[in-house]
Amino acid sequence: MKIITAINELRAILAQERASGKKISFVPTMGNLHEGHLDLVRRAHQSSDCVVVSIFVNQMQFGPSEDYTNYPRTPEADQQKLHSEKVDYLFMPTATEMYPPTGITTHTEVFVPDVSTILCGASRPGHFKWVATVVAKLFNIVQPDVAIFGEKDFQQLTVIRSMVTDLCMPIEIIGAPTTRGESGLALSSRNGYLTPSELAIAPTLYKTLMQIKQKLADGNRDFVALESQAKSTLAEAGFVPDYISIRCQSDLSEPTADDKMLVILAAAKLGKARLIDNLQVAL
Ligand code: PAF
């Protein structure tokens, strides 16, 4: 595995790989890699001949009161894991390589309307605009044939799919199922913020989503009541729920009783961690 920090160097090497006929796949990350990320890497191998992973903690997508400073950074352990997974290139740019030294105020922004401002976008203003912007930049640097994202960040995946369609980016986007621990808790770098007692409570988030899924399968279509019961369950367990929402899978719009392809999305704070999870439902 070759570690590259400069955009020009990565471009030059990948141009050669492309010229030799290789299909390139890309897994963008913010590091602190766990089994969920490694699953994305394994899927990348299955759909290409050359796997590129990036690690860049994109400060712009964190709100002023969010955890940018404390976000877990484990570069050495990450490199070892990616080396074992036979990644071809690890791109680890600095902030000055990615953003101009003159500052960010005049930087181009990529904004996907509607889906960027609901759910997590409502609680984290500007977050998805800067996710889309940094992913667009990374796509332009790597120019992959395929990019793999976790379904754990379902709204992020929806934003990226819209961006790629709207801007005619010739990239296949693959969504990978969420990797869970034995308790059902979705793996996340932010689980590291949980204390042992919070870790015992955390799987309630997944269990609550499963309960809604079952009720939908049983024919219940009172979305508002299902959402508010679930919020109470989470609050009783010790969470501070942000939202629980049943939406259409395709664009995260509010469903009618006739919609069949749904997704239940949730975000809730537990101690210092803001946890998100979702479950897709096909009725
Ligand atoms: O999901 C993430 O880790 C980040 O949002 C991403 C896609 C790498 C952009 O910074």
Side-chain angles (χ1 to χ4, degrees):
M1 182 178 79
K2 193 164 165 51
I3 300 173
I4 297 174
T5 54
I7 294 173
N8 285 344
E9 194 191 347
L10 184 66
R11 275 187 199 281
I13 289 180
L14 292 180
Q16 283 173 10
E17 296 283 19
R18 222 169 279 117
S20 72
K22 288 201 182 149
K23 186 173 174 187
I24 296 171
S25 62
F26 179 43
V27 181
T29 81
M30 298 205 299
N32 191 239
L33 304 178
H34 50 65
E35 266 304 307
H37 295 109
L38 302 185
D39 177 64
L40 304 185
V41 171
R42 288 168 201 145
R43 286 169 196 272
H45 274 300
Q46 282 163 16
S47 44
S48 72
D49 323 292
C50 173
V51 175
V52 182
V53 175
S54 66
I55 296 181
F56 178 63
V57 186
N58 176 36
Q59 180 166 10
M60 294 309 301
Q61 72 187 66
F62 290 78
S65 56
E66 291 182 5
D67 56 345
Y68 171 71
T69 316
N70 301 327
Y71 195 82
R73 289 161 174 87
T74 50
E76 274 116 55
D78 292 348
Q79 285 166 28
Q80 263 174 22
K81 289 176 187 168
L82 296 176
H83 180 79
S84 305
E85 293 295 332
K86 303 200 173 2
V87 163
D88 296 279
Y89 300 104
L90 169 59
F91 180 49
M92 295 182 76
T94 57
T96 43
E97 185 71 2
M98 288 297 285
Y99 291 114
T102 45
I104 205 75
T105 45
T106 55
H107 194 284
T108 301
E109 297 172 356
V110 180
F111 176 62
V112 180
D114 293 354
V115 74
S116 293
T117 52
I118 57 173
L119 304 169
C120 281
S123 322
R124 306 183 68 190
H127 170 70
F128 287 115
K129 177 180 75 183
W130 287 108
V131 168
T133 303
V134 80
V135 171
K137 285 175 76 109
L138 290 165
F139 280 179
N140 282 332
I141 294 165
V142 176
Q143 297 176 34
D145 298 287
V146 182
I148 297 109
F149 292 83
E151 287 177 348
K152 152 100 180 358
D153 296 299
F154 197 88
Q155 188 173 3
Q156 168 171 282
L157 180 58
T158 310
V159 168
I160 302 296
R161 284 193 196 282
S162 292
M163 174 185 81
V164 164
T165 304
D166 291 352
L167 299 184
C168 308
M169 294 177 167
I171 303 171
E172 182 193 350
I173 303 297
I174 297 181
T178 302
T179 305
R180 300 182 181 279
E182 267 176 34
S183 65
L185 178 64
L187 298 195
S188 162
S189 300
R190 289 190 168 101
N191 292 351
Y193 298 145
L194 299 171
T195 63
S197 59
E198 288 162 356
L199 262 175
I201 298 169
T204 308
L205 186 58
Y206 174 65
K207 285 180 191 141
T208 308
L209 295 179
M210 286 291 280
Q211 281 162 7
I212 300 183
K213 184 172 178 168
Q214 187 56 54
K215 287 177 185 159
L216 289 169
D218 293 344
N220 190 328
R221 293 291 177 277
D222 190 346
F223 301 136
V224 174
L226 289 172
E227 290 163 359
S228 92
Q229 281 159 16
K231 259 189 157 179
S232 308
T233 308
L234 288 181
E236 277 159 29
F239 288 84
V240 180
D242 178 357
Y243 65 81
I244 295 219
S245 196
I246 302 165
R247 297 288 172 125
C248 291
Q249 260 176 45
S250 55
D251 58 2
L252 302 187
S253 59
E254 286 179 19
T256 67
D258 296 329
D259 281 307
K260 304 268 178 254
M261 300 302 283
L262 304 178
V263 55
I264 317 156
L265 304 112
K269 278 204 91 173
L270 184 59
K272 284 201 210 114
R274 183 177 186 277
L275 303 181
I276 59 170
D277 202 349
N278 67 83
L279 268 188
Q280 295 171 60
V281 190
L283 296 169

